[in-house]
Amino acid sequence: MKSKLLYTGMISLIVALGGFLMGFDAGVVSGANPFYKDYFGLNEWSLGWSVGCLTFGAMFGNAIAGPLADRFGRKSVLSMAALFYSLSAISSALATDFNFFIAARMLGGVAVGLALLIAPVYIAEIAPSKLRGRFVSFNQLNIVIGFSAVFFANYYILKLAKADGIGWVTEPNCWRWMLGAEIVPALLYFVCLFFVPRSPRWLAQNGREDEALAVLNKVVSPEEAAESLSAIKAHIAKDKQSKPKFSELFQRNMRFIIFIALGLGFFRA
């Protein structure tokens, strides 16, 4: 049983690297923007847009994450996010045009939106019910670790830029190295996702019940796996019977809940 718990923990930590990349990507501009501000000749408004554009990309990523995950699977969407993180890192680091730089940063925002929504969903679907909350919290923990790690990375790169004899990292171009450094954890995330199984719920939802049971057998006992698969199938059948409408969000009994949710998102941002 300990081996199953260790396996689930490792899978959850790999998937939660999406949270690490979110924290890294969101925090990297705080060290880089004084330098690319001079390079692009930005005013205060343009500088603010270069930081805030990530949020607009994340909004789009959030909007498409659910449908993409249902169609192609949670693992595929997370792999897509890892690729977007990589492309965003290298593109923003090599940018010579401000509009291209914004597009690259927004691509990173799309990756943030995808990973932020799908990573905890995947972990919740694979983790045992008794430990679900603990494993899902890995994603939040990794966001904070990502924020912390990028400050140390930026500090080290700036220290290299100021050191004598380091010709390939200078103060004028250190922002490129700060932004490009993200490609290392992003590619690591992409490679590690090859070792992550498909979500058992997505497999069952697409008629691949034997594969779903095989995944569940890796994380819980055979008896619990069979029970979990039965519960998943019951939830899927229930979801097919009741198709929620977007207009239901604006019903009277939902207004206060939506208000609280929007408020939490606003103050967190």
Side-chain angles (χ1 to χ4, degrees):
M1 196 64 187
K2 288 184 178 179
S3 61
K4 293 180 183 289
L5 185 61
L6 181 62
Y7 174 80
T8 310
M10 289 300 298
I11 294 299
S12 299
L13 284 172
I14 289 173
V15 173
L17 279 173
F20 176 90
L21 284 164
M22 175 199 165
F24 197 102
D25 199 59
V28 69
V29 290
S30 64
N33 62 32
F35 302 99
Y36 70 68
K37 177 185 178 182
D38 292 337
Y39 177 83
F40 291 116
L42 304 181
N43 57 32
E44 294 303 318
W45 187 93
S46 298
L47 182 64
W49 171 232
S50 72
V51 176
C53 67
L54 186 82
T55 304
F56 287 89
M59 288 170 58
F60 179 73
N62 266 164
I64 64 173
L68 285 177
D70 286 339
R71 183 175 178 83
F72 300 107
R74 286 70 162 132
K75 178 179 175 178
S76 297
V77 172
L78 291 173
S79 297
M80 185 187 304
L83 282 177
F84 285 176
Y85 275 125
S86 302
L87 289 172
S88 172
I90 195 67
S91 298
S92 57
L94 297 176
T96 56
D97 176 76
F98 182 60
N99 291 328
F100 181 82
F101 178 80
I102 291 296
R105 290 296 298 155
M106 290 187 75
L107 181 63
V110 175
V112 167
L114 294 175
L116 180 64
L117 189 66
I118 302 304
V121 168
Y122 175 93
I123 296 172
E125 290 178 349
I126 199 170
S129 57
K130 294 179 181 179
L131 299 172
R132 189 166 294 151
R134 189 176 304 175
F135 284 135
V136 170
S137 68
F138 286 171
N139 194 62
Q140 293 298 116
L141 176 63
N142 270 6
I143 293 174
V144 178
I145 294 175
F147 270 117
S148 302
V150 75
F151 285 113
F152 286 106
N154 285 348
Y155 170 78
Y156 181 70
I157 291 169
L158 185 57
K159 186 177 180 180
L160 278 178
K162 291 181 177 181
D164 294 332
I166 308 295
W168 42 274
V169 183
T170 62
E171 281 197 62
N173 76 358
C174 69
W175 63 273
R176 297 186 183 276
W177 293 92
M178 291 174 180
L179 293 167
E182 187 181 356
I183 198 170
V184 176
L187 288 178
L188 177 65
Y189 188 39
F190 180 75
V191 172
C192 288
L193 284 171
F194 281 100
F195 302 97
V196 170
R198 293 276 187 177
S199 160
R201 179 182 175 86
W202 183 83
L203 290 169
Q205 192 172 329
N206 287 270
R208 297 160 64 174
E209 295 178 9
D210 290 342
E211 293 179 57
L213 185 60
V215 173
L216 289 169
N217 278 325
K218 292 181 179 180
V219 299
V220 292
S221 66
E223 295 78 13
E224 289 177 295
E227 291 176 6
S228 296
L229 182 58
S230 297
I232 289 171
K233 290 165 63 177
H235 286 143
I236 292 171
K238 185 178 180 180
D239 289 342
K240 287 182 178 179
Q241 291 176 356
S242 58
K243 295 182 178 180
K245 298 179 180 179
F246 183 75
S247 58
E248 293 178 6
L249 290 174
F250 302 99
Q251 292 178 357
R252 179 170 295 182
N253 61 332
M254 292 294 293
R255 290 174 187 171
F256 184 69
I257 297 173
I258 295 297
F259 175 77
I260 294 296
L262 292 174
L264 287 171
F266 175 83
F267 287 109
R268 180 181 177 181

